[in-house]
Amino acid sequence: MFRLRRIVRTLQSKLVSFQRTAVLFLILLQLQVNYKPIFLPDTKMQSLKNANIHFNQQGTPVATDFDDIYFSNDGGMAETEYVFLQQNGLPARWQHTSRTFFHIIETGFGTGANFLLSWQRFRQFRQQHPDAACRKLYFSSFEKYPLTLADLTTALQAHTGLSGLCRQLLAQYPPALPGCHRMVFDDGAVVLDLWLGDVNELLPQLTGNNQADAFFLDGFAPGKNPDMWQQGLFEQMARLSHCQTTVATFTSAGIVKRGLVQSGFTIKKVKGFGRKREMLTATYQPVAPAIMADERSSPAEPVKEVCIVGGGIASVCLALQLVDKGINTTLICADAEIAQGASHNLQGAIYPNLHPSPTFASLLHCQAFYFARSFYQQLSANGLPFALQWCGVLHLATNPALTERQQKLVTLANWPSELVYPVTAGQASNLAGVVLNHGGIFLPQAGWLSPQQFCQTALKLLLGSGHFRVRFNSKVTTLTPVAGNTSSTEPAAGWELQFADHSPAVSYNCVVLANGAGINNFAVSESLPVNRVRGQVSHVSSNGMQPLKTVLCHKGYITPQLDNCHAVGATFDRNATTAFVSDTDNEENLALVNSQLQQPAWFADAKATSARAAFRATVPDHLPLLGSISDCNGLYVFGGLGARGILLAPLLAETLACQITGQPLALSTSCLARLSPVRFTSNTAKA
């Protein structure tokens, strides 16, 4: 019976894999049709369940549903050191590799013990060998049943020698939301990608950039967790391996030995840890390379310099990520100074837009939200001066549509309470510090920042890096392939930029269009359906609003005070051709507050003292544009962020920087396909 059940599970897994592959193939096939936008349905995603655990007499965490321990009673760190680090040749391999980063893939995050010790050993390696080529450790781990923050906090108390690292991990540890959560430590030297979900469903979604140097084949024992130890797992490991990739695992079960051998690994039995008689190590020795060069998203030649056309928060975040990876970066800005478009607002809220059921868009927002929180927090903690406050965001149910949506969100309970929870009108008033007549939902970890201040101070940081330069008052009018291609069918070897002031043209091998509503101003990008929506935010002074302690959202929004002003917004004008400031729009913003919040007394003295207007860049399916333009080698697009630039820019900038430099990505292939400009264009003319 057991063998029959195992065969059925294997067939089911292969059927799911085939279905996913077929869907992706159909998507790509449709993308070959000239200018037929593909609007993929925003399908609902399944929620995750936290692990059900208890602690044995030795204080070791035990998975109740699997009846297996998370680490050895004889010493969790000693087991990790012996089984996974030593048997993968670490840390010695870090010293001898010529690559700038090293990537470990782990099956089964559990309590994070393997990651924590790897982090400590890599930190020690960097201190002992500061001139070594390897400067960054990527650690990708998969977990279907993540521990709650409370259980993880208790479990990590056993690792007293790693208490400082444990605190940092707990500070960034995400709730149980499907997808990849990227966490950055030690100023970017260590990156943890925690993929929450079934490893056999997620591994096929990793790109060629995510090729592993070493595998920590962990997880509960094959006899207790047969769903994980499938042949498909070993095949995906082979797909993500190169000829120096190594594997270490605590088990020597027959299914593991056979699976590794059948997938191209040469195995070896060695003595196990503690009372375990033996364990396995393996090295990948393929007959042919596992991933052909044309399957990788990284370029054939390493990119040494990138030109960014733009000047807002997307451009600045991308520049920060490229410079962090050692890439020389030039920013070409049409304005006299940074952040003069949509990023010049006084304040902007940072929070995910949650649908009642987890959808692709809402999960992307959650991934971006937690990454953005850490990104901005770390820069602020490192001395970058910009206004930032994690005061929470209160969404009020001020009309029947909002009430119905929020009631459904609360009833379905798909989102963790640490992210969002319902509040009554009285509770909302206490949270806000002003009297409110409506209840709603509260996002306690959300907040606001000043995007213009952030961009301005980040620019100073970039200019001091030695890898960055900026060119102001330079409006790019023409973007053409570098001359010299031997055939019109060959991709461009570079791109020439010409300017409105007729200054000398410049050329770059790699160019990113991140200029907001102007992304489709060029022949190579004109088919992208970028809409220009003018919006105006009013700056309001009010004695009555001074007690406001959190961001208020209704059909519009109000922020807490900054420089004696509150940001109140925002209008939507789809017909405007210039970003003018209008007194009428100020009146409209104030009237919206009064109509939605029922003429609150604390808003009675509100007066608009100034305003800012700009164009938001949106696309018809309301998803960002990220990635290369079809048939345009070295030309990327980063935009379509709408009113969510503060939220989305950090994670998407990190993703694009990793695409350009060939480093591991925190987004799946299906996610990248949904964000790719190719969903709107195909066989685009190059000039």
Side-chain angles (χ1 to χ4, degrees):
M1 271 307 283
F2 175 75
R3 289 187 63 191
L4 179 60
R5 287 197 301 269
R6 188 171 64 189
I7 291 170
V8 170
R9 279 193 297 265
T10 301
L11 290 174
Q12 289 173 336
S13 173
K14 288 185 178 294
L15 178 60
V16 169
S17 178
F18 172 78
Q19 289 172 334
R20 290 175 181 272
T21 303
V23 169
L24 185 59
F25 173 76
L26 289 174
I27 291 170
L28 295 174
L29 185 63
Q30 292 179 63
L31 289 174
Q32 299 305 310
V33 181
N34 284 339
Y35 198 76
K36 287 189 178 179
I38 306 296
F39 298 108
L40 302 178
D42 200 353
T43 53
K44 296 177 182 178
M45 309 290 181
Q46 290 186 347
S47 300
L48 293 178
K49 294 181 180 180
N50 285 115
N52 179 21
I53 76 166
H54 64 275
F55 294 85
N56 62 20
Q57 292 182 344
Q58 290 83 9
T60 303
V62 180
T64 304
D65 296 334
F66 294 93
D67 189 29
D68 204 355
I69 56 177
Y70 277 91
F71 49 77
S72 172
N73 290 323
D74 298 328
M77 288 298 121
E79 181 180 33
T80 291
E81 184 85 63
Y82 176 79
V83 173
F84 296 111
L85 288 170
Q86 287 185 23
Q87 304 306 324
N88 273 298
L90 302 175
R93 287 174 66 191
W94 294 333
Q95 183 178 354
H96 299 114
T97 183
S98 60
R99 301 178 69 194
T100 59
F101 65 92
F102 191 93
H103 185 203
I104 296 170
I105 293 182
E106 173 190 52
T107 58
F109 183 73
T111 65
N114 296 342
F115 164 69
L116 289 164
L117 190 62
S118 299
W119 176 7
Q120 185 188 62
R121 293 291 179 262
F122 190 76
R123 176 186 279 186
Q124 292 168 348
F125 157 74
R126 288 298 304 157
Q127 291 170 347
Q128 295 166 6
H129 305 281
D131 297 325
C134 187
R135 299 189 300 272
K136 187 184 288 278
L137 173 66
Y138 284 96
F139 194 103
S140 298
S141 188
F142 296 80
E143 181 57 64
K144 188 175 182 179
Y145 300 103
L147 271 68
T148 64
L149 180 62
D151 284 340
L152 183 62
T153 301
T154 301
L156 292 181
Q157 290 175 3
H159 308 314
T160 54
L162 299 172
S163 58
L165 303 187
C166 291
R167 284 194 297 271
Q168 292 186 56
L169 173 61
L170 292 169
Q172 290 195 48
Y173 187 70
L177 294 168
C180 181
H181 302 272
R182 174 159 287 192
M183 291 163 267
V184 179
F185 304 97
D186 285 359
D187 294 326
V190 175
V191 178
L192 168 63
D193 282 343
L194 182 54
W195 292 83
L196 297 184
D198 190 324
V199 65
N200 284 300
E201 295 181 4
L202 291 172
L203 268 183
Q205 290 287 310
L206 266 61
T207 71
N209 280 32
N210 292 62
Q211 200 175 53
D213 298 297
F215 280 97
F216 290 5
L217 192 50
D218 204 353
F220 299 122
K224 297 185 177 183
N225 186 22
D227 287 346
M228 189 193 90
W229 302 87
Q230 300 179 20
Q231 182 59 34
L233 171 66
F234 307 115
E235 291 171 358
Q236 288 301 320
M237 289 171 59
R239 181 181 70 86
L240 294 168
S241 294
H242 54 77
C243 58
Q244 283 86 39
T245 298
T246 59
V247 181
T249 180
F250 64 92
T251 182
S252 60
I255 188 174
V256 180
K257 290 186 286 189
R258 291 189 298 273
L260 288 170
V261 170
Q262 290 174 22
S263 300
F265 292 90
T266 299
I267 64 171
K268 179 182 178 182
K269 289 183 182 180
V270 297
K271 184 184 180 306
F273 176 78
R275 286 170 285 183
K276 291 183 179 179
R277 188 176 64 181
E278 56 189 19
M279 58 167 284
L280 292 177
T281 64
T283 304
Y284 188 61
Q285 295 183 340
V287 176
I291 300 176
M292 303 303 292
D294 60 354
E295 291 179 325
R296 303 187 187 200
S297 54
S298 56
E301 293 294 330
V303 173
K304 297 180 180 179
E305 185 172 11
V306 175
C307 170
I308 304 171
V309 179
I313 196 165
S315 302
V316 170
C317 286
L318 179 58
L320 286 168
Q321 302 290 11
L322 289 169
V323 166
D324 175 68
K325 294 167 179 57
I327 303 299
N328 293 324
T329 304
T330 298
L331 180 64
I332 297 181
C333 180
D335 301 309
E337 50 185 312
I338 205 76
Q340 296 302 297
S343 299
H344 76 160
N345 284 336
L346 179 69
Q347 292 166 282
I350 317 171
Y351 66 96
N353 183 26
L354 302 177
H355 298 115
S357 295
T359 61
F360 168 78
S362 55
L363 287 172
L364 175 65
H365 275 211
C366 288
Q367 288 176 256
F369 171 66
Y370 283 104
F371 185 83
R373 266 183 60 91
S374 174
F375 176 78
Y376 294 126
Q377 226 160 258
Q378 289 186 23
L379 287 171
S380 179
N382 288 342
L384 201 65
F386 59 94
L388 171 69
Q389 189 178 21
W390 301 112
C391 59
V393 170
L394 186 58
H395 258 283
L396 300 174
T398 57
N399 59 52
L402 285 172
T403 300
E404 180 181 1
R405 176 178 170 137
Q406 291 185 7
Q407 286 177 345
K408 189 175 181 181
L409 185 147
V410 172
T411 301
L412 292 177
N414 285 312
W415 302 104
S417 58
E418 58 262 52
L419 176 63
V420 61
Y421 59 84
V423 293
T424 64
Q427 292 169 331
S429 299
N430 290 333
L431 287 167
V434 296
V435 176
L436 299 169
N437 298 319
H438 303 86
I441 54 175
F442 186 60
L443 291 88
Q445 298 172 317
W448 63 267
L449 66 73
S450 173
Q452 188 174 51
Q453 284 186 21
F454 168 76
C455 290
Q456 290 170 342
T457 55
L459 180 66
K460 295 178 182 177
L461 178 66
L462 286 165
L463 289 170
S465 69
H467 289 285
F468 177 84
R469 60 179 179 170
V470 62
R471 176 173 172 170
F472 289 116
N473 294 312
S474 298
K475 181 177 175 58
V476 179
T477 55
T478 308
L479 182 66
T480 56
V482 170
N485 289 332
T486 58
S487 169
S488 60
T489 61
E490 291 183 6
W495 296 90
E496 183 179 87
L497 285 66
Q498 297 178 350
F499 302 95
D501 62 1
H502 303 294
S503 57
V506 294
S507 297
Y508 296 89
N509 289 333
C510 184
V511 175
V512 179
L513 301 180
N515 53 327
I519 278 179
N520 58 351
N521 286 347
F522 309 100
V524 291
S525 60
E526 63 184 0
S527 59
L528 294 174
V530 177
N531 302 315
R532 295 160 55 89
V533 182
R534 177 187 160 274
Q536 181 167 314
V537 178
S538 303
H539 301 157
V540 174
S541 65
S542 166
N543 291 326
M545 277 201 293
Q546 286 183 5
L548 184 61
K549 297 185 295 186
T550 186
V551 178
L552 293 182
C553 293
H554 42 91
K555 283 185 69 175
Y557 66 89
I558 310 170
T559 63
Q561 185 173 256
L562 173 65
D563 297 336
N564 298 316
C565 283
H566 301 264
V568 177
T571 61
F572 284 81
D573 182 356
R574 300 182 184 279
N575 300 315
T577 57
T578 60
F580 59 90
V581 172
S582 162
D583 290 338
T584 301
D585 279 17
N586 284 338
E587 295 171 4
E588 181 180 330
N589 282 331
L590 271 59
L592 182 64
V593 175
N594 282 315
S595 65
Q596 291 291 302
L597 304 188
Q598 301 177 356
Q599 304 285 335
W602 48 265
F603 197 70
D605 67 337
K607 294 182 179 179
T609 57
S610 63
R612 292 180 182 175
F615 284 108
R616 307 177 187 91
T618 65
V619 292
D621 60 4
H622 304 292
L623 293 174
L625 294 167
L626 186 77
S628 58
I629 297 180
S630 178
D631 299 330
C632 295
N633 186 42
L635 181 62
Y636 298 85
V637 169
F638 179 18
L641 307 186
R644 298 285 180 168
I646 300 173
L647 171 76
L648 295 169
L651 177 61
L652 298 187
E654 166 74 351
T655 300
L656 185 55
C658 287
Q659 279 186 313
I660 291 171
T661 58
Q663 299 191 28
L665 304 178
L667 295 183
S668 66
T669 54
S670 59
C671 180
L672 293 169
R674 297 192 69 150
L675 303 183
S676 172
V678 177
R679 72 188 193 267
F680 292 111
T681 63
S682 181
N683 300 324
T684 306
K686 297 179 185 177

